[in-house]
Amino acid sequence: MNRRSLIKAFTLSASIAAMGLSWSIQAAETIKVGILHSLSGTMAISETSLKDMALMTIEQINAKGGVNGKLLEPVVVDPASNWPLFAEKGRQLLTQDKVAVVFGCWTSVSRKSVLPVFEELNGLLFYPVQYEGEEMSPNVFYTGAAPNQQAIPAVEYLMSEEGGGAKRYFLLGTDYVYPRTTNKILRAFLHSKGVADKDIEEVYTPFGHADYQTIVANIKKFAAGGKTAVISTVNGDSNVPFYKELANQGLKATDVPVVAFSVGEEELRGIDTKPLVGHLAAWNYFESVQNPVNTQFVNDWKAYAKAKNLPGADKAVTNDPMEATYVGIHMWAQAVEKAGTTDVDKVREALAGQSFKAPSGYTLTMDKTNHHLHKPVMIGEIQDDGQFNVVWETEQPLRAQPWSPFIPGNDKRPDYAVKGN
Amino acid sequence: MLRLLLTLLLLLPLATQASEGEYFITAKPAEQVSLLEGWAAQPDAARLPLLDNLHQGRIAEGDTRKLRLNNRLRGLLENTLASHQLLSDVAKVRLAAAQQLQKSAQPAQVAFLDRRYAIEADAAVRAALGLVLANLQLAAPEPSVRLAAVRLLGETGDPMARTRLEALLEPGVETDTNVRTAAETSLAQVKRKLLFGELLGQAFSGLSLGSILLLAALGLAITFGLLGVINMAHGEMLMLGAYATYVVQVLIARYAPGAIEFYPLIALPVAFAVSAGVGMLLERTVIRHLYGRPLETLLATWGISLILIQAIRLLFGAQNVEVANPAWLSGGLQVLPNLVLPYSRLVIIGFALFVVLLTWLLLNRTRLGLNVRAVTQNRNMAACCGVPTGRVDMLAFGLGSGIAGLGGVALSQIGNVGPDLGQSYIIDSFLVVVLGGVGQLAGSLWAAFGLGIANKLLEPQIGAVLGKILILALIILFIQKRPQGLFALKGRVID
């Protein structure tokens, strides 16, 4: 930062502090930042907190003087859980609002919907959620986990003696691209470990499915044939009736553990977790992780939720995609500082190898070529207070394999981002 | 004298117990495993309090150190605890312990279990222990012991027995022909019992799903069925009922924690009042201007539903809220070894029937009901006879909405409570009412249970996704063939 921009930043922040008025920011030169998360519709349950987390992070960066001496100006749009609308709103952000970067999307189908827009207009998208891989666009940075950073270590844990030594696997998911691809990868992985097809059952339910009686009865029947684990890629609020049914039919974690890939602290807020103690989730971050960075992160979030009077602020929790959002925004800001500009091509170059001390307790690095973060994997058990107790974690962050080696043909894919695949 | 001796006996091991606990909490997981396995094979009554504490995640009462257990340790702990509980004086505790051991007993425990079996006085516990032993004796060296074990297993309906027998019948495992034949007979027996349990389970799931559909649709059977309002905001009345339950739960937890067990009962009148109030308000302000204009009603009520959803979202947030099941609605009734009937579902089936009865009585045995029927059959004639049609419309709409609120209380006990709750039930509700025949309570009853059972019969065969599609297709075909639904009003009443 040269002297002029330092002075500029100083006078700017001083003037804001003096006036205390947010509209004055508009007057000064700012960097516009798009936030593309559903604030209504079915995904609002998960995505609203990401929008708030993004706003908090931007506010924190601005409090420290912004980026390159300019303040960040968030532009929030609501694609309303409507997949084509994601593309429309994405285009609007890039062409009308002329944002430098967009943080957004949750479901894979929404990401697939905006992808052509970002590639066409050479925009920059940060995607903060664990997903099925099979994608590596030069216009997207993926701050969530690829399958080898979540699903595969979780299954390895279930196989281990410590994890219960499961022999049979019940793959339960919501019927869309993420669970189906993940289960395809897992089936190939299980085969490679010598698990036969008769010991794998794959079941899908529609979005918003609420009646899990038959499925839980089937899990019980399947589990009578040997030590079983359920691998759940059930998404959204269907998880509540599923877990309630498990508890009511007396299926305990010691008999049949359920490991979930889409259930975090935020989802557990709507459930009484006492009957669920011992069921598992695999993520790259849990709120309960003990380290100074996380303590600060959690406290900041709770204070922010209270100050902004967010709904349910007294019980505000952090979760993995929120951490990924936070890390993504900071990494982008660092890359812009390094590049000295918000030009997408220069920022993309500057992002490679960028690192950040994350709340997970690790210093996360953006891979030099594949646009994914190196992330640690953690397996947590649900506690009676709705938090997770980490029972297993990797010793160090793993490099992502977006092109899973368990899907035939992926060995020929390049290990760097290319448009249109 | 005896008491004195017992006290001494109890005091003596207290010291060792404390140190065992200390040792356990500091031990490595592998050591903890062998400790638990050792304790399970040689139970000592004095260790019971320690195991109880371990089971609750601590080593002693008042000790703040949290015990980190994983599922493997938790499973071993349950087994060890059960093994110790066999020494209890209470037959019920021993029975529960024996049932746990049927799942988890290890060969190392055989000697101890044999001793307990020999001196067990209670018939039920003895039978349960016999099964525990039979599971382990399948690997006994003497054919006669194996034969007895195989025969005993044939008399249970335990799904695990089936797996064990199948494993025994794998080629080359069991060499004695007598035992093999006995095992085959036993396996057939077990399979029969399991099939019976499965069928009962499917029937129960069907009834349960039916009762939920019924509760969701009953309010609509009045607002749409009787009043003819295409009420797209019906789902939101369910949602309001569920949120009323949540608010009642929070208030009771704050101001009268003693009554928290019974909050759903208190929530019933509150939810009815809230939904009925909102319903009547809507009727007076919006819907009454739109009678006889179905398309506009449809759009207006849809708009109202969006407004209500967003209002709730602003008030309570987009996240789902936590509605906990009270203890008497958690868990289930073990009817057969492979059939558990959850209490919440049993209660909801009963509650659904109760609400139907209540509605029927209201419509057929009260003055209000008479007026409602009169107005719906012939509005002008009813008005001529002095029936205040406007007021009757309002009350009837309030009644339908209130009943939806009651449904919301029930739904909050089994599913999600979020702003979108109503959206997931509105389609099903219309299906039930249309299939049952508009204007008929009995029709809704039959349609709800019919749909529930059909759904649950199809689901295991073709999966939840296809099942839902097939049901929808069948309903469309049925409505094509019989537009008036299952039950139709006869005569000149429909204009």
Side-chain angles (χ1 to χ4, degrees):
Chain A
M1 193 183 269
N2 58 29
R3 186 192 290 173
R4 176 173 293 179
S5 66
L6 198 77
I7 291 170
K8 214 162 147 193
F10 178 74
T11 43
L12 225 155
S13 51
S15 66
I16 289 158
M19 291 186 283
L21 291 172
S22 58
W23 56 261
S24 66
I25 301 174
Q26 322 274 332
E29 197 185 350
T30 58
I31 300 174
K32 283 190 179 175
V33 170
I35 297 173
L36 183 67
H37 282 300
S38 302
L39 310 178
S40 52
T42 54
M43 291 314 294
I45 175 180
S46 301
E47 291 193 65
T48 308
S49 58
L50 295 193
K51 183 260 305 177
D52 290 321
M53 176 53 76
L55 290 179
M56 178 189 98
T57 317
I58 288 171
E59 203 179 280
Q60 284 182 349
I61 291 176
N62 282 344
K64 288 185 185 154
V67 181
N68 284 350
K70 292 179 192 164
L71 291 192
L72 304 181
E73 181 192 341
V75 182
V76 180
V77 291
D78 176 17
S81 311
N82 175 347
W83 319 137
L85 198 57
F86 269 88
E88 211 174 292
K89 294 278 178 188
R91 187 174 289 277
Q92 179 195 324
L93 282 175
L94 291 177
T95 54
Q96 282 179 27
D97 297 311
K98 304 221 183 306
V99 297
V101 61
V102 175
F103 299 94
C105 298
W106 178 292
T107 56
S108 288
V109 48
S110 67
R111 189 189 67 253
K112 296 272 185 211
S113 158
V114 297
L115 192 62
V117 176
F118 278 81
E119 292 196 342
E120 176 201 328
L121 300 169
N122 197 23
L124 193 58
L125 172 72
F126 276 74
Y127 176 66
V129 185
Q130 46 83 17
Y131 78 121
E132 69 280 3
E134 304 303 298
E135 192 183 295
M136 201 196 289
S137 165
N139 296 90
V140 184
F141 281 89
Y142 307 81
T143 55
N148 75 311
Q149 292 171 316
Q150 186 191 30
I152 293 206
V155 177
E156 276 172 342
Y157 173 77
L158 291 174
M159 283 179 168
S160 71
E161 199 177 26
E162 199 189 339
K167 301 273 180 287
R168 314 193 81 198
Y169 296 87
F170 197 98
L171 312 181
L172 175 66
T174 305
D175 202 0
Y176 76 108
V177 54
Y178 161 65
R180 284 206 179 255
T181 315
T182 304
N183 286 341
K184 193 167 141 197
I185 293 170
L186 286 182
R187 189 180 277 272
F189 173 72
L190 288 170
H191 285 166
S192 79
K193 292 282 174 182
V195 180
D197 270 327
K198 72 171 172 54
D199 290 326
I200 307 173
E201 176 105 355
E202 217 174 312
V203 172
Y204 294 96
T205 58
F207 261 110
H209 192 65
D211 192 290
Y212 279 90
Q213 297 183 82
T214 312
I215 285 168
V216 171
N218 283 348
I219 292 175
K220 274 179 138 176
K221 200 170 145 193
F222 186 75
K227 183 68 191 171
T228 298
V230 177
I231 298 172
S232 158
T233 38
V234 173
N235 254 261
D237 50 13
S238 285
N239 279 299
V240 179
F242 172 53
Y243 281 114
K244 276 194 179 173
E245 193 67 40
L246 274 182
N248 282 340
Q249 292 212 23
L251 209 58
K252 285 185 296 185
T254 44
D255 306 327
V256 180
V258 177
V259 58
F261 297 155
S262 303
V263 175
E265 290 85 348
E266 193 74 42
E267 285 74 17
L268 288 184
R269 265 167 67 171
I271 318 182
D272 173 26
T273 53
K274 279 176 206 74
L276 303 181
V277 171
H279 287 305
L280 306 154
W283 289 105
N284 312 102
Y285 163 85
F286 287 109
E287 185 183 336
S288 63
V289 170
Q290 298 285 341
N291 67 65
V293 184
N294 189 38
T295 313
Q296 180 72 36
F297 176 65
V298 173
N299 288 344
D300 282 354
W301 170 246
K302 292 200 161 147
Y304 181 84
K306 202 161 271 166
K308 298 282 160 171
N309 210 4
L310 300 180
D314 48 334
K315 280 190 274 179
V317 291
T318 58
N319 66 8
D320 180 283
M322 284 158 85
E323 193 236 18
T325 301
Y326 178 78
V327 171
I329 297 179
H330 275 290
M331 278 204 172
W332 171 80
Q334 288 176 7
V336 172
E337 295 267 355
K338 187 181 168 197
T341 165
T342 55
D343 179 76
V344 170
D345 294 322
K346 300 229 168 76
V347 172
R348 182 189 300 127
E349 231 166 80
L351 265 163
Q354 203 59 248
S355 66
F356 181 73
K357 223 167 145 46
S360 61
Y362 294 80
T363 299
L364 303 185
T365 317
M366 179 57 75
D367 191 79
K368 287 205 159 54
T369 56
N370 76 8
H371 281 220
H372 285 67
L373 283 176
H374 292 232
K375 302 196 103 185
V377 186
M378 303 176 189
I379 294 178
E381 277 187 0
I382 299 177
Q383 305 286 294
D384 53 8
D385 57 357
Q387 289 289 329
F388 290 86
N389 169 31
V390 176
V391 290
W392 181 89
E393 63 185 307
T394 47
E395 279 162 19
Q396 58 209 17
L398 298 181
R399 181 173 194 261
Q401 289 177 328
W403 302 114
S404 173
F406 293 101
I407 288 190
N410 274 355
D411 46 345
K412 291 180 198 73
R413 301 274 193 178
D415 197 27
Y416 48 86
V418 185
K419 273 191 194 189
N421 63 15
Chain B
M1 187 62 207
L2 190 69
R3 176 167 297 181
L4 191 74
L5 257 177
L6 271 176
T7 330
L8 273 178
L9 267 175
L10 274 176
L11 278 177
L12 196 69
L14 264 183
T16 45
Q17 203 203 104
S19 61
E20 270 183 346
E22 283 299 324
Y23 183 62
F24 188 86
I25 200 166
T26 49
K28 291 204 173 67
E31 286 175 72
Q32 289 176 332
V33 167
S34 53
L35 266 181
L36 286 173
E37 280 173 350
W39 290 345
Q42 279 158 342
D44 177 353
R47 206 179 285 121
L48 197 55
L50 171 67
L51 289 172
D52 266 329
N53 275 321
L54 290 180
H55 197 235
Q56 287 166 44
R58 57 188 185 200
I59 59 166
E61 222 167 310
D63 194 304
T64 49
R65 284 172 295 174
K66 207 159 162 58
L67 188 64
R68 291 285 157 111
L69 291 175
N70 59 27
N71 278 331
R72 182 174 183 223
L73 285 170
R74 226 176 259 127
L76 284 171
L77 187 57
E78 272 167 16
N79 181 38
T80 311
L81 186 62
S83 184
H84 283 69
Q85 280 167 340
L86 277 187
L87 301 170
S88 161
D89 295 329
V90 189
K92 225 172 121 183
V93 175
R94 292 204 301 276
L95 185 62
Q99 279 161 351
Q100 165 68 34
L101 286 171
Q102 285 175 9
K103 287 191 285 186
S104 61
Q106 298 301 314
Q109 288 164 274
V110 170
F112 165 72
L113 291 169
D114 259 333
R115 283 203 302 280
R116 292 309 304 181
Y117 183 66
I119 58 167
E120 180 57 63
D122 187 279
V125 182
R126 203 179 148 82
L129 267 181
L131 280 176
V132 178
L133 279 170
N135 284 336
L136 297 170
Q137 282 163 345
L138 286 181
E142 309 87 0
S144 61
V145 176
R146 292 205 300 272
L147 188 64
V150 161
R151 290 208 171 120
L152 200 54
L153 283 183
E155 282 157 33
T156 71
D158 184 1
M160 302 284 274
R162 171 181 171 171
T163 323
R164 294 202 171 97
L165 289 170
E166 275 172 352
L168 194 71
L169 284 170
E170 294 266 311
V173 177
E174 178 58 70
T175 43
D176 190 286
T177 40
N178 277 337
V179 181
R180 261 199 109 80
T181 8
E184 270 156 15
T185 341
S186 290
L187 184 58
Q189 258 177 320
V190 173
K191 277 188 177 162
R192 235 187 349 264
K193 286 193 179 125
L194 285 178
L195 183 68
F196 181 64
E198 260 166 51
L199 288 178
L200 274 185
Q202 276 181 15
F204 178 78
S205 315
L207 279 182
S208 169
L209 181 61
S211 68
I212 289 160
L213 290 175
L214 183 60
L215 277 172
L218 206 56
L220 193 69
I222 294 175
T223 52
F224 173 52
L226 289 178
L227 299 178
V229 177
I230 301 184
N231 183 12
M232 296 300 283
H234 169 72
E236 279 53 55
M237 298 298 156
L238 292 167
M239 189 254 301
L240 287 180
Y243 268 93
T245 317
Y246 168 70
V247 171
V248 166
Q249 179 198 244
V250 171
L251 289 180
I252 288 184
R254 190 170 304 160
Y255 298 110
I260 192 74
E261 279 298 284
F262 301 101
Y263 83 85
L265 300 181
I266 304 164
L268 286 176
V270 177
F272 184 87
V274 169
S275 297
V278 173
M280 287 195 278
L281 188 73
L282 288 181
E283 203 275 339
R284 280 296 86 180
T285 50
V286 181
I287 293 164
R288 100 186 139 109
H289 304 293
L290 301 170
Y291 281 127
R293 286 188 284 175
L295 274 182
E296 278 146 85
T297 321
L298 189 145
L299 288 178
T301 50
W302 187 54
I304 290 169
S305 90
L306 293 182
I307 292 172
L308 286 174
I309 291 174
Q310 206 56 38
I312 287 290
R313 214 174 256 149
L314 288 175
L315 224 59
F316 295 91
Q319 262 68 25
N320 291 349
V321 293
E322 178 184 340
V323 177
N325 294 130
W328 54 279
L329 281 176
S330 307
L333 186 68
Q334 184 99 38
V335 184
L336 291 170
N338 63 339
L339 179 62
V340 179
L341 306 184
Y343 293 124
S344 56
R345 294 192 180 271
L346 286 172
V347 169
I348 286 174
I349 293 179
F351 180 64
L353 295 175
F354 169 75
V355 175
V356 171
L357 183 72
L358 205 72
T359 316
W360 185 83
L361 284 177
L362 250 173
L363 286 178
N364 292 292
R365 291 284 182 273
T366 64
R367 179 132 201 111
L368 172 69
L370 186 68
N371 283 345
V372 169
R373 282 179 293 139
V375 171
T376 52
Q377 286 180 8
N378 193 327
R379 178 174 298 270
N380 294 337
M381 185 60 86
C384 288
C385 297
V387 177
T389 56
R391 223 180 117 227
V392 167
D393 282 336
M394 178 183 80
L395 288 177
F397 199 87
L399 176 67
S401 304
I403 287 173
L406 292 182
V409 179
L411 294 178
S412 75
Q413 293 301 313
I414 54 149
N416 283 305
V417 179
D420 299 324
L421 177 140
Q423 301 283 299
S424 40
Y425 289 101
I426 183 78
I427 308 255
D428 287 335
S429 303
F430 270 103
L431 282 183
V432 167
V433 176
V434 172
L435 181 66
V438 173
Q440 283 289 7
L441 269 190
S444 299
L445 185 75
W446 286 111
F449 282 113
L451 276 182
I453 291 173
N455 218 323
K456 285 293 148 187
L457 285 181
L458 282 175
E459 197 185 318
Q461 268 59 315
I462 57 175
V465 183
L466 271 180
K468 198 149 190 161
I469 296 173
L470 197 65
I471 290 276
L472 211 58
L474 285 177
I475 290 178
I476 293 171
L477 286 180
F478 180 81
I479 296 292
Q480 286 294 315
K481 196 88 192 134
R482 207 181 143 80
Q484 69 275 43
L486 282 173
F487 292 74
L489 288 176
K490 291 192 183 70
R492 293 179 293 164
V493 284
I494 291 180
D495 49 329

